[in-house]
Amino acid sequence: LAFSRKQVLQPTALNLNELVGSVEKLLRRVIGEDIELLTHQATDLWTVRADRGQIEQVLVNLAVNARDAMPDGGKLTLETGNVVLDDEYVRRHADSMPGEHVMLAVSDNGQGMTPEVLQRIFEPFFSTKGDRGTGLGLATVYGIVRQSGGHLQVYSEPGRGTRVTVRFPLVG
């Protein structure tokens, strides 16, 4: 339902630093002992309006994908920050809106993805893991973020890792 944008959300005012702090223990169990979890949280982080449970699901799905991209261990970094998107940025990223946003980034130093895989990562039932995945994790992430008014940007290089940056509009 989330990737088809039909799930009913219950948005509330949300501080992403608090959310990251509350799911950190769960994420450590999910990613295992071979992966170091680092957090870089902005001070005075702005507030967004989003469904807490859904954003937690976004974090868990991105962490699981990162874990699977680092079978021999590595580093998973969660980062928050305040950003202002200008007209130039919006011109280059059609699904974004100008103004003040809160950024949540999930980065790993895993296997990375080819440009061909990157083009399809949010398609339902397309798995970045070949036949090991269902292809629903990133499609769900996409659906939740878009339904919450946010947008995503993914940067990845084979052998260098992946960074998924989510930006949510500031609560007015």
Side-chain angles (χ1 to χ4, degrees), residues 79-167:
E79 180 184 354
T80 62
N82 299 324
V83 296
V84 177
L85 303 182
D86 60 17
D87 291 335
E88 175 63 22
Y89 180 89
V90 172
R91 189 175 59 71
R92 290 191 329 264
H93 300 90
D95 63 340
S96 63
M97 295 174 41
E100 297 172 320
H101 290 72
V102 177
M103 179 269 304
L104 173 64
V106 179
S107 305
D108 67 64
N109 63 347
Q111 299 169 341
M113 294 177 273
T114 65
E116 295 78 24
V117 169
L118 269 176
Q119 289 179 355
R120 300 186 61 198
I121 60 171
F122 297 126
E123 290 180 18
F125 309 110
F126 174 78
S127 176
T128 59
K129 304 168 195 172
D131 49 1
R132 290 187 303 133
T134 63
L136 294 175
L138 291 176
T140 299
V141 166
Y142 180 83
I144 290 170
V145 170
R146 295 299 293 155
Q147 190 173 8
S148 300
H151 80 280
L152 299 105
Q153 184 178 12
V154 181
Y155 178 79
S156 188
E157 285 185 38
R160 306 224 36 197
T162 300
R163 178 179 173 94
V164 178
T165 305
V166 180
R167 294 177 183 89

Side-chain angles (χ1 to χ4, degrees), residues 32-86:
E33 296 176 2
D34 294 338
I35 297 174
E36 182 180 4
L37 178 62
L38 306 169
T39 59
H40 301 286
Q41 297 174 314
T43 56
D44 300 323
L45 191 68
W46 298 330
T47 302
V48 299
R49 186 162 179 79
D51 183 300
R52 180 182 191 87
Q54 296 298 310
I55 305 308
E56 288 173 352
Q57 184 176 353
V58 165
L59 269 175
V60 171
N61 284 0
L62 292 175
V64 166
N65 267 35
R67 175 200 67 198
D68 293 348
M70 299 182 287
D72 299 321
K75 290 184 182 179
L76 174 65
T77 305
L78 307 179
E79 180 184 354
T80 62
N82 299 324
V83 296
V84 177
L85 303 182
D86 60 17

